[in-house]
Amino acid sequence: MPFDRRIISRRDLLRSMAALAGAGAVAPLGIGRARAQMPDLPTGFGRGRSVAIIGAGVAGLTAGWKLANAGFAVTIYEGDSRYGGRSLTARPVRKEYRDWWFDKYNPHRLFPEMYVSQYHETGQTPVPQTQVCEFDDPEWHPGNGDPTELWLNAGPGRIPSDHVALIDLCMQIGVALEPYIFQSNYNLLQSQTFHDGKPIAYNEVNYSLKAQVAEMLAQQVLTEPDSAHRKQVLNMLQQFGDLDSDGKYASAKGSSRVGYVDGDFPGGWRTPGKLNDIVHLDETLDSSFVGEGNPELGSGSYLFNFDNIDWQSSLMQPVGGMDRVWQRLLVQTVQASSLRLRPKDPRSAELGRRESRRVGDLVLLNHQVTGVYDDPENNRIHIDLAYRDPVTGEAGKYRDSADFCFSTMAPNLLATLPSSLDAEFKSWLGQVEQTPAIKVGWQARSRFWQSENHIYGGISWTTDMIGQIWYPSEDFNAHTGVLTGAYNRGPVAEEFGKLNLEQRLAAALKGGEKLHPDLANKVYAKRGLTIAWQYMPFQVGGWASDTAGTQPAVYEHITDLPRGRLFLAGDSWSYLPGWQEGAITSAYAAIKSLQERHG
């Protein structure tokens, strides 16, 4: 049924336009951003001084690399058995594939733990079993060319163009970047309140909305007295909505902007194609596609998501997976004097035979920090540790003492850590709200989204609990590929995380089939992976819930830094929580503070 224009007044129209415009700009991430550049440290600035760093994620490794090359003796303590923190990329467990990967990316087999093919959740998770990535290229045989590269970015997956510190870091350490497509016209939108749940291509709804809003505004302008910009405004609206000369959307002749009926595309000779019908405004308004609320925590507005400054239509990704950032950090060379060994360090003999040192040599995995105590009287800071060797089973405890300590722990974990921090500061740390986040990954039997839906990259959106499906932006027309089969955050992710493994995968298939019917037979369903970041070791969620914007008093207190000789870094201490840009710039801010106070 056509939309009845009589049911919307000029005031209602302008109010609706303001609401629609606001829906795409709800997320406050672009407001009040703080930028921190790596300070230019003098040669030998850290000579004779030491730093202990807690956490081998992007922030900790970046800080360790910069401080080691400034002359500091550095040790990076990581409680987990892997590097990267929340930057986790799962890769095939198959030995032949793993060997191929190392031959391509790391032929010297440096720091072999950088290749991650399994992980597990901890604590109260209903998924205690180890998950193993069993993705595999069925058409590849070792020695017969290259396989289709398969990986799931279980953590961060894209880089906006204004994340300049991360892009600069990638350039410094040799991480190649390629386009990541956030939005394409053929990505799908799905809601149970629209067309009985049948998905529709993004451009059909997007153009239809623009055309009808442009027509209503044009008709209103035509009734207004002539003004200096009346003609320009009408011309703008005509272009914006592809209107005809009377200021009406092209309902008679149609518009190619709304796309063509599948299977009836324009071609040669007398095959003009058949245009899709326009989606009427009342259908769009009732569809949930215009959404409301913070798109970081829910569906937001599907139609305006790409207007978010961090969700541009074309972003970037590292060639070969997001873990390439911290993998390349691990192999960067540092000054030989930067290495600090713990008592009875099992690596002593091997490292003693090598002249060169790399960032990875500074990292001690499976070393959990159990306490941090500032000692101003002796100008030292003490770090208590518990370690275990996963190979030999050897375990022990000891205390390290350094001149400074950088902690990249989540605020909520630091709040509960035995330390010399005062009770009030710990209370503020414990108040930081964290956002639960989950992902599900599928290996597809074929790239059906390309052959069936003409989708090449981007994201499809649904009101189902899976939230989104991401399509790979690389290896177009390959015979297989990996889908991010669910990505949700906030309360929905909290509920999803309470499901066991089988229930999570079943829910992801059920939700995915609302976008792609028969999905269960189009993917290797038994190879599915799922992750709930609120249950991952040494994590408390996907990211802090924009503390600077939603908890300004909390943010002001937790960034009252440093605390004696303890410096805090990580994306939680930035205006970009959940982004690697926030992790890096916070590390730079901590280094600058150290330079200013102890230069």
Side-chain angles (χ1 to χ4, degrees):
M1 181 180 67
F3 180 72
D4 188 349
R5 292 168 183 79
R6 293 172 297 178
I7 68 173
I8 185 167
S9 67
R10 180 187 182 201
R11 179 178 297 176
D12 290 336
L13 172 64
L14 296 177
R15 184 181 296 130
S16 298
M17 285 298 292
L20 291 174
V26 168
L29 294 178
I31 301 173
R33 291 189 168 192
R35 279 281 188 255
Q37 294 183 343
M38 174 61 199
D40 185 16
L41 300 179
T43 302
F45 172 71
R47 186 175 297 121
R49 297 192 286 182
S50 57
V51 179
I53 297 175
I54 304 173
V58 172
L61 293 174
T62 299
W65 178 45
K66 296 296 185 179
L67 291 170
N69 278 330
F72 286 92
V74 178
T75 305
I76 304 174
Y77 295 112
E78 172 56 57
D80 209 342
S81 58
R82 62 175 182 84
Y83 311 96
R86 278 167 291 144
S87 178
L88 168 60
T89 301
R91 301 182 181 279
V93 72
R94 181 183 172 188
K95 179 183 182 301
E96 292 83 359
Y97 184 100
R98 185 178 188 273
D99 290 341
W100 168 85
W101 185 91
F102 273 102
D103 288 341
K104 178 178 180 178
Y105 290 106
N106 184 2
H108 296 294
R109 300 315 200 254
L110 298 170
F111 314 113
E113 293 90 348
M114 71 166 57
Y115 187 97
V116 178
S117 56
Q118 58 186 39
Y119 58 87
H120 65 279
E121 299 174 9
T122 58
Q124 300 302 311
T125 177
V127 185
Q129 62 264 50
T130 297
Q131 295 191 64
V132 180
C133 180
E134 296 181 343
F135 300 160
D136 195 13
D137 184 342
E139 298 186 12
W140 175 71
H141 301 285
N144 184 25
D146 294 333
T148 299
E149 193 158 356
L150 302 171
W151 38 263
L152 171 69
N153 285 328
R158 52 204 178 205
I159 302 174
S161 62
D162 61 344
H163 285 197
V164 293
L166 174 54
I167 294 170
D168 182 62
L169 178 68
C170 288
M171 182 173 62
Q172 291 180 54
I173 63 179
V175 176
L177 300 176
E178 63 185 358
Y180 172 96
I181 299 171
F182 179 82
Q183 179 73 63
S184 73
N185 277 346
Y186 282 104
N187 289 151
L188 302 173
L189 307 178
Q190 190 275 333
S191 166
Q192 289 303 119
T193 60
F194 180 83
H195 288 195
D196 296 322
K198 183 179 179 180
I200 187 171
Y202 165 83
N203 67 301
E204 294 183 50
V205 182
N206 183 50
Y207 165 68
S208 298
L209 177 63
K210 287 182 176 180
Q212 290 168 95
V213 169
E215 180 191 78
M216 286 187 285
L217 290 173
Q219 296 306 307
Q220 182 63 45
V221 172
L222 286 169
T223 65
E224 300 288 341
D226 199 6
S227 64
H229 293 99
R230 185 171 182 268
K231 181 178 181 180
Q232 290 93 325
V233 170
L234 286 172
N235 285 338
M236 176 193 70
L237 292 172
Q238 186 175 19
Q239 295 178 54
F240 179 77
D242 195 21
L243 308 181
D244 59 25
S245 58
D246 295 324
K248 301 289 185 66
Y249 72 82
S251 57
K253 68 178 180 65
S255 171
S256 61
R257 294 188 188 180
V258 80
Y260 292 85
V261 174
D262 193 18
D264 203 348
F265 294 122
W269 289 35
R270 296 180 179 180
T271 50
K274 182 180 179 181
L275 293 169
N276 286 312
D277 294 329
I278 203 162
V279 178
H280 295 292
L281 183 56
D282 52 351
E283 294 179 293
T284 300
L285 294 176
D286 292 336
S287 67
S288 300
F289 296 156
V290 293
E292 60 184 23
N294 185 347
E296 288 285 358
L297 299 179
S299 61
S301 172
Y302 301 149
L303 292 176
F304 310 116
N305 275 332
F306 65 88
D307 289 329
N308 186 305
I309 194 170
D310 292 317
W311 294 351
Q312 306 145 24
S313 293
S314 181
L315 300 99
M316 286 168 282
Q317 65 180 12
V319 174
M322 190 57 76
D323 57 354
R324 296 298 297 142
V325 175
W326 56 260
Q327 287 173 349
R328 288 295 303 169
L329 275 169
L330 286 177
V331 300
Q332 299 305 303
T333 57
V334 294
Q335 296 182 23
S337 60
S338 63
L339 181 64
R340 299 173 66 232
L341 296 175
R342 70 164 171 83
K344 299 181 180 179
D345 195 312
R347 307 171 303 156
S348 301
E350 190 272 330
L351 289 172
R353 292 191 293 268
R354 286 201 281 116
E355 294 183 2
S356 64
R357 297 287 183 269
R358 299 176 186 269
V359 172
D361 293 323
L362 311 178
V363 181
L364 287 170
L365 297 175
N366 303 295
H367 280 62
Q368 181 177 355
V369 172
T370 58
V372 178
Y373 302 95
D374 200 12
D375 183 2
E377 183 176 343
N378 295 298
N379 293 325
R380 302 287 281 173
I381 188 166
H382 308 296
I383 303 93
D384 289 341
L385 297 134
Y387 67 88
R388 59 177 176 80
D389 188 319
V391 177
T392 65
E394 178 189 357
K397 298 179 179 180
Y398 70 100
R399 168 169 283 195
D400 182 24
S401 294
D403 293 298
F404 309 102
C405 179
F406 278 40
S407 172
T408 66
M409 298 175 68
N412 316 72
L413 293 180
L414 184 59
T416 61
L417 183 75
S419 72
S420 55
L421 293 172
D422 61 80
E424 181 182 4
F425 189 73
K426 286 185 177 182
S427 174
W428 288 111
L429 292 173
Q431 294 179 51
V432 174
E433 296 174 354
Q434 294 284 339
T435 300
I438 70 94
K439 278 188 177 180
V440 172
W442 303 113
Q443 182 189 350
R445 295 179 182 274
S446 69
R447 294 205 169 203
F448 60 86
W449 55 93
Q450 296 174 176
S451 60
E452 297 178 7
N453 306 99
H454 325 295
I455 293 174
Y456 289 82
I459 299 172
S460 289
W461 305 79
T462 173
T463 56
D464 184 86
M465 71 184 304
I466 69 167
Q468 309 169 27
I469 288 182
W470 297 12
Y471 309 95
S473 293
E474 70 287 338
D475 292 332
F476 295 141
N477 288 343
H479 53 275
T480 186
V482 175
L483 293 171
T484 301
Y487 174 44
N488 58 44
R489 50 262 190 260
V492 176
E494 185 174 1
E495 291 304 311
F496 195 99
K498 293 177 182 178
L499 304 176
N500 64 35
L501 179 60
E502 292 74 18
Q503 291 170 331
R504 288 185 194 174
L505 296 178
L509 286 174
K510 182 179 179 181
E513 290 191 339
K514 294 179 180 180
L515 291 164
H516 296 285
D518 200 30
L519 178 66
N521 291 318
K522 295 176 181 177
V523 300
Y524 294 97
K526 293 184 179 180
R527 299 180 188 175
L529 295 172
T530 174
I531 189 168
W533 279 103
Q534 58 269 32
Y535 294 124
M536 287 297 285
F538 306 102
Q539 307 295 335
V540 289
W543 55 85
S545 302
D546 185 32
T547 314
T550 62
Q551 297 179 284
V554 173
Y555 191 76
E556 180 180 0
H557 282 87
I558 70 170
T559 53
D560 181 13
L561 301 169
R563 312 300 291 186
R565 291 178 174 265
L566 177 63
F567 297 78
L568 306 182
D571 58 284
S572 295
W573 280 273
S574 79
Y575 286 84
L576 293 155
W579 294 96
Q580 294 172 100
E581 181 79 358
I584 294 166
T585 54
S586 69
Y588 291 169
I591 293 173
K592 182 178 180 181
S593 177
L594 187 153
Q595 180 187 34
E596 292 173 346
R597 291 172 178 264
H598 302 280

